[in-house]
Coordinates of all heavy atoms in Angstrom, one line a residue:
L362 N 14.2 9.8 72.8 CA 14.8 11.1 72.4 C 13.9 12.2 72.9 O 14.4 13.2 73.4 CB 14.9 11.1 70.9 CG 15.3 12.5 70.3 CD1 16.7 13.0 70.8 CD2 15.2 12.5 68.8
L363 N 12.6 12.1 72.7 CA 11.7 13.2 73.0 C 11.5 13.5 74.5 O 11.3 14.6 74.9 CB 10.3 12.9 72.4 CG 10.2 12.8 70.9 CD1 8.8 12.5 70.4 CD2 10.7 14.2 70.3
H364 N 11.8 12.4 75.3 CA 11.7 12.6 76.8 C 13.0 13.2 77.3 O 13.0 13.5 78.6 CB 11.2 11.4 77.5 CG 12.3 10.6 78.2 ND1 13.3 10.0 77.5 CD2 12.5 10.5 79.5 CE1 14.1 9.5 78.4 NE2 13.6 9.8 79.6
T365 N 14.0 13.2 76.5 CA 15.3 13.8 76.9 C 15.2 15.3 77.3 O 14.6 16.0 76.5 CB 16.4 13.6 75.9 OG1 16.5 12.2 75.7 CG2 17.7 14.2 76.3
H366 N 15.7 15.7 78.3 CA 15.6 17.1 78.7 C 17.1 17.6 79.2 O 17.6 17.1 80.2 CB 14.7 17.3 79.9 CG 14.3 18.7 80.0 ND1 15.1 19.7 80.7 CD2 13.1 19.4 79.7 CE1 14.5 20.9 80.7 NE2 13.3 20.7 80.2
P367 N 17.7 18.4 78.4 CA 19.0 18.9 78.7 C 19.1 19.6 80.1 O 18.1 20.2 80.5 CB 19.3 19.9 77.6 CG 18.4 19.6 76.5 CD 17.2 19.1 77.1
T368 N 20.2 19.4 80.7 CA 20.4 20.0 82.1 C 20.5 21.5 82.0 O 21.1 22.1 81.2 CB 21.7 19.4 82.7 OG1 21.6 18.0 82.7 CG2 21.8 19.9 84.1
K369 N 19.7 22.1 82.9 CA 19.7 23.5 82.9 C 20.8 24.1 83.6 O 21.2 23.6 84.7 CB 18.4 24.0 83.6 CG 18.2 25.5 83.6 CD 17.0 25.9 84.4 CE 16.8 27.4 84.6 NZ 15.6 27.8 85.3
A370 N 21.6 25.0 83.0 CA 22.8 25.6 83.6 C 22.3 26.4 84.8 O 21.3 27.0 84.9 CB 23.6 26.5 82.6
L371 N 23.3 26.4 85.8 CA 23.0 27.2 87.1 C 22.8 28.6 86.7 O 23.7 29.3 86.2 CB 24.2 27.0 88.1 CG 24.0 27.6 89.4 CD1 22.8 26.9 90.1 CD2 25.2 27.5 90.3
G372 N 21.6 29.1 87.0 CA 21.3 30.5 86.8 C 21.0 30.8 85.3 O 20.8 32.0 85.0
G373 N 21.0 29.8 84.5 CA 20.8 30.0 83.0 C 19.3 29.9 82.7 O 18.5 29.6 83.5
A374 N 19.1 30.1 81.4 CA 17.6 30.1 80.9 C 17.3 28.7 80.6 O 18.1 27.8 80.6 CB 17.5 31.0 79.6
E375 N 15.9 28.5 80.4 CA 15.5 27.1 80.2 C 16.0 26.7 78.8 O 15.8 27.3 77.8 CB 13.9 27.2 80.1 CG 13.2 25.9 80.0 CD 13.3 25.0 81.3 OE1 13.6 25.6 82.3 OE2 13.2 23.8 81.2
P376 N 16.6 25.5 78.7 CA 17.2 25.0 77.5 C 16.2 24.5 76.6 O 15.0 24.1 76.9 CB 18.1 23.9 77.8 CG 17.6 23.3 79.1 CD 17.0 24.5 79.9
L377 N 16.4 24.5 75.2 CA 15.6 23.9 74.3 C 15.7 22.4 74.3 O 16.8 21.9 74.5 CB 15.9 24.5 72.8 CG 15.7 25.9 72.6 CD1 16.0 26.2 71.1 CD2 14.3 26.4 72.9
T378 N 14.6 21.7 74.1 CA 14.5 20.3 74.1 C 14.2 19.7 72.7 O 13.9 20.5 71.8 CB 13.4 19.8 75.1 OG1 12.1 20.2 74.5 CG2 13.6 20.4 76.4
P379 N 14.4 18.4 72.6 CA 14.1 17.8 71.2 C 12.6 18.1 70.8 O 12.3 18.2 69.7 CB 14.3 16.3 71.5 CG 15.3 16.3 72.6 CD 15.1 17.4 73.5

Side-chain angles (χ1 to χ4, degrees):
L362 169 64
L363 295 179
H364 103 292
T365 301
H366 197 283
T368 304
K369 179 180 178 181
L371 185 62
E375 188 73 20
L377 295 182
T378 66

